[in-house]
Amino acid sequence: MSTKYDAIIIGAGHNGLTTAAYLARAGQRVLVLERRDVVGGSVVTESPWPGYRVDTLQHFGGLRPDIVRDLDLARFGLTTTRVGLTALQPGGGALELGSGGGARAQAIGAFNRTDAERWPAFTALMAKVAGFLNEVYAAPFPRVPQIDAAEAPALAQLGLKLRGLGKKDMIEAVRVLPMSMLELLDEWFESDLLRGALAARGVHGLMQGPMGAGTAFLFLHLWANNDSLFQTRVKGGAGALSEALAQAATGFGAELRLGAEVAQVKLSGDRAAGVVLANGEEITAQRVVSALDPRRTFLGLVGPDALDPEFVWATQNIKLRGCVAKVNLALDGLPTFTGVTDAGLRGALTLSPSLNDLERAYDAAKYGGLSERPYLEVSLPTLAEPGLAPDGKHLLSVHMQFAPYRGEQADWATRIEAIVVNALAQLAPDLPGRILHSQVLTPRDLETRFGLSEGNLYHGEMMLDQILFMRPLSGWAQHRTPIENLYLCGPGTHPGGGVSGASGRNAARQILKDQKA
Amino acid sequence: MLLGTPFHARTQPLNEAQVWRRWSGYLAAGAYELTHEREYWAIRNAAALIDVSPLLKYHVHGPDAARLLDRMVTRDVSRLGVGRVLYTPWCDTEGKVIDDGTITRLDAQRFRLTAAEPNYRWLSMNAVGLDVTVEDVSSQVASLALQGPKSRLILNACAADSLDGLAYFRVTHTRVGGVPVTISRTGYTGDLGYELWCDARDAVAVWDTLMTAGAAYGITPTGILALDIARVEAGLIMLDVDYTSAHVATIPEQKSSPFELNLGWAVDLKKAARFVGRKALAAEKTSGSAWQMVGLEIEWPNLERLFWEEGLPPRIPNTTVRASIPLSSLGRQVGYASSSCWSPLLKKYIALAHVEAAHAKPGDLLMFEIMVQHKHRYTPARVVPLPFFNPERKRE
């Protein structure tokens, strides 16, 4: 069959664009189709109000450094800065894990001497285990248990890497990964504020409290994505990252079409042969690569008819329980956060004063309710980059957890805003009076706007039964699908969620490899 | 505890030996009299009234009801008209049979599916993305089989409408004993016969009406021992006896494809809908099946001689043997019989058997294992076409 394209990529999120860029770089004829009029998916900066550049959903995140290098993204203006982690204390004050190792230990020491002493050993071990995960994330995961001969060396290599940690750390890594944050932190720290701040990373975007098994895995996964406990901020807003990727992809020759919603993956027999757009247009290609989540891809674009019932059933059972709401506020001036330094405010601010507070925030969500005292991750991007708002104005960007998708009620947008503003007012009493504009995105809004099924940020929860060779489904790792020539490149595949580009890059590698075979 | 069917108030006092078999969690009479023989002859010569309520029954309704069934089964449901019934197996992805049963199109968007084993989960798994409702109505719908040459006369004597126009594998709605009854011209005996479907609360009224109207025609409450002989004569397979459901099998060798069960005629590879197992079945159709289900007639002279040598008259099981019996050819085992019985009508010792494809031609000779005075013996059996018994009145 002669067609114009080697590959059609569905969705111009950061993973779709990464796949497109790698494929185009390898000389493939690539077409990227994006439903919205803007690239980036959930990594996007938009202007809901004149003069403001708002990170609509994701406000932190960089790509894996090797991807940045491979695609020469610096050339397209991608600049990122590592930011600190500031744990806010209700009533004022904060634990500022801002700069350099010594300063961090000192900051911790102000709260708890023992914790400060343990800090270096903790970070060294976590970095080592996360480093191991990062190695695992560098390539598609072998299919367990049906590995074929070609995959056996990859699995053996993973074994060697695990051994490479050394006997003691190897056992430590295997022991720690399935733990709860509670169990992990009980072994290390005493200070509520520090435990709350760390535990929050283990439940970020996850429908689970820090007492739930496997939350240590998410903590380490996000550590691996960032190559650090600390996150990064993109200059110009998170969307600048996606734009740099889009430029790189088109620079390598990929075509990009915005406002082009794919309605269906077109099949020829049991193979993908192209796509049908919502307007009825058909475009053929040798391969179709979906950056959408597996449920949307298989049940929405392919349709259950073309798939085995067991596969359909398993796809339907992928856990995607979104629990994050996004609140963006435009402020008439910088609010006064009592007892927090300017440097501290430039970091990722977390309101999770203790591990118990996080677990209680989750308690409500278990039964479908909103957390009245939620966990907040806050960013004040205009401190470092005033240009994102008109003169003298500021932006405040909040991930609010938990707002469980399955419990959502009509009044949640209003209630979420009230809950968030009320919680922030405990930290910065003048904040409510400074609000000029607000935007609230509930999990349902995230689903509608970004196509995230159930509003899940990760295209599939990062839980122990949905990772490694079980992502998206056991037997279907390696970006391939039951439909020949249809691939997945989104975070619903191994290694999974967070802004890293690893799924997109690994998918491109697999596609190129399969083509040679 | 096993449950009584909706007819239990009537069947329980009739069961002379109080011997009950278990069938899908219900009590089912093995035979009402002390032997099943008269009941068997009622099937072939008069009319047998058989309580088949323990069958699993599902109502599938909604705009996508036909799509769901078409996705699941191997025959083309889209072409099944209202008022028609079809028999079909359904398979797993590997094209191995999960279960078999009938589908009745009650109206454009409403079907009844019968099954031997619970299939609600499988139906649900196949219904993802479809606008369809599946209801397990097994306990709400009572069913009676009225089978035998006099069955039509009995129904004509008591139903509100004549059954004369009801063709084979068609269904009609009428009243019996004043209550609404759906009657299908179907059955598990290979004879002229009907199955009646009614609300479980009306069951006794329907039973009483049939028994009264049927008295003049020799209507006979009949248990499943007699039924089990009739269905072997008719070449009809039984789940868990003649094959293992693909959902239950522990090893691949225990599974069978429809082709291997003599149900290749029920696999419609040309139908428009993609259905579960299609790919595997298309491949098997091309490459050929490893196994074949055949009819066997165990030859009499040698059988008689083997017993004679022990000083015994031939001993033949008087009910259907639901056990695996080895078959060999030139000293090598090439198959097994899964159901075998003496056919009182044909006066033949017959069996349903699985044999390697190379030994499935009518006329092929196989050695059938029997026990003679506690000793293993082999005796010749001949492959014959199925069914063993197929009277014209079944379809007329």
Side-chain angles (χ1 to χ4, degrees), chain A residues 269-270 304-305 308 310 313, chain B residues 67 71 93 121 128 274 279:
Chain A
D270 294 320
D305 270 345
D308 292 343
E310 288 94 345
W313 197 248
Chain B
R67 269 185 78 192
R71 178 189 290 186
T93 313
R121 179 179 164 82
V128 173
R274 287 167 182 270
K279 216 168 154 181

Side-chain angles (χ1 to χ4, degrees), chain A residues 28-102:
Chain A
Q28 303 259 299
R29 297 160 304 166
V30 177
L31 173 66
V32 185
L33 297 171
E34 168 57 43
R35 175 176 57 93
R36 299 192 68 202
D37 292 320
V38 55
V39 297
S42 62
V43 185
V44 64
T45 304
E46 297 173 277
S47 295
W49 317 296
Y52 292 90
R53 298 286 295 152
V54 176
D55 290 342
T56 314
L57 177 50
Q58 298 292 5
H59 49 211
F60 295 117
L63 295 165
R64 287 175 65 102
D66 45 353
I67 295 175
V68 175
R69 263 197 320 275
D70 284 351
L71 302 177
D72 202 5
L73 294 178
R75 192 156 65 88
F76 301 105
L78 179 63
T79 312
T80 57
T81 326
R82 184 76 75 190
V83 297
L85 173 61
T86 301
L88 301 168
Q89 181 151 270
L95 168 56
E96 297 182 16
L97 298 172
S99 43

Side-chain angles (χ1 to χ4, degrees), chain A residues 267-270 299 303-313 316-317 482, chain B residues 67 71 92-93 121-122 124-126 128-130 247 274-279:
Chain A
L267 300 182
S268 158
D270 294 320
L299 303 188
D305 270 345
L307 300 161
D308 292 343
E310 288 94 345
F311 184 86
V312 168
W313 197 248
Q316 191 184 242
N317 289 336
Chain B
R67 269 185 78 192
R71 178 189 290 186
D92 70 358
T93 313
R121 179 179 164 82
W122 187 242
S124 308
M125 286 174 75
N126 281 280
V128 173
L130 298 180
H247 278 172
R274 287 167 182 270
F275 62 95
V276 183
R278 178 185 58 105
K279 216 168 154 181

Side-chain angles (χ1 to χ4, degrees), chain A residues 57-59 204 324-326 375-377 397-401:
Chain A
L57 177 50
Q58 298 292 5
H59 49 211
H204 193 93
V324 174
K326 182 66 199 292
Y375 151 49
L376 306 182
E377 183 190 76
S397 165
V398 184
H399 281 196
M400 179 275 191
Q401 220 169 309

Side-chain angles (χ1 to χ4, degrees), chain B residues 303-375:
Chain B
L303 185 79
E304 190 172 46
R305 184 180 58 79
L306 289 173
F307 281 94
W308 186 251
E309 283 170 7
E310 298 288 342
L312 291 169
R315 286 197 169 173
I316 306 298
N318 64 349
T319 56
T320 294
V321 174
R322 297 175 170 190
S324 178
I325 296 173
L327 297 168
S328 69
S329 171
L330 301 175
R332 189 178 74 84
Q333 188 173 343
V334 296
Y336 56 96
S338 46
S339 291
S340 49
C341 67
W342 173 254
S343 165
L345 181 79
L346 304 171
K347 305 279 184 278
K348 279 175 184 164
Y349 189 8
I350 57 175
L352 295 174
H354 298 261
V355 296
E356 291 174 6
H359 301 275
K361 272 195 316 296
D364 282 356
L365 196 66
L366 297 169
M367 298 302 281
F368 179 90
E369 191 189 272
I370 52 163
M371 286 287 253
V372 183
Q373 187 57 19
H374 312 296
K375 291 169 195 150

Side-chain angles (χ1 to χ4, degrees), chain A residues 265-277:
Chain A
V265 170
K266 200 173 130 63
L267 300 182
S268 158
D270 294 320
R271 292 156 177 262
V275 297
V276 182
L277 300 187

Side-chain angles (χ1 to χ4, degrees), chain A residues 227-424:
Chain A
D227 201 17
S228 166
L229 169 65
F230 303 101
Q231 307 190 67
T232 49
R233 196 193 290 286
V234 180
K235 187 171 171 236
L241 179 150
S242 305
E243 274 156 33
L245 272 171
Q247 284 181 38
T250 49
F252 288 124
E255 270 180 61
L256 174 62
R257 271 176 68 178
L258 299 176
E261 180 179 0
V262 173
Q264 202 186 322
V265 170
K266 200 173 130 63
L267 300 182
S268 158
D270 294 320
R271 292 156 177 262
V275 297
V276 182
L277 300 187
N279 67 11
E281 185 187 346
E282 292 191 10
I283 310 173
T284 57
Q286 301 290 342
R287 257 163 299 283
V288 176
V289 187
S290 173
L292 312 191
D293 66 67
R295 192 190 289 171
R296 196 162 287 255
T297 301
F298 293 122
L299 303 188
L301 299 186
V302 174
D305 270 345
L307 300 161
D308 292 343
E310 288 94 345
F311 184 86
V312 168
W313 197 248
T315 302
Q316 191 184 242
N317 289 336
I318 293 174
K319 288 191 286 289
L320 280 154
R321 301 162 299 181
C323 60
V324 174
K326 182 66 199 292
V327 178
N328 295 313
L329 300 176
L331 303 173
D332 175 21
L334 186 68
T336 314
F337 283 85
T338 323
V340 189
T341 68
D342 179 72
L345 288 179
R346 287 168 188 251
L349 311 177
T350 179
L351 176 64
S352 48
S354 74
L355 199 142
N356 281 352
D357 281 311
L358 277 175
E359 186 68 24
R360 285 198 195 100
Y362 171 57
D363 282 344
K366 277 190 238 176
Y367 307 105
L370 276 177
S371 310
E372 291 296 335
R373 293 180 56 203
Y375 151 49
L376 306 182
E377 183 190 76
V378 182
S379 165
L380 272 162
T382 38
L383 272 180
E385 210 177 331
L388 296 173
D391 273 356
K393 309 286 191 271
H394 280 274
L395 284 169
L396 188 138
S397 165
V398 184
H399 281 196
M400 179 275 191
Q401 220 169 309
F402 293 83
Y405 174 89
R406 294 186 183 188
E408 190 167 331
Q409 307 289 322
D411 64 347
W412 271 25
T414 319
R415 282 184 59 201
I416 288 166
E417 183 172 351
I419 288 169
V420 167
V421 170
N422 181 48
L424 291 170

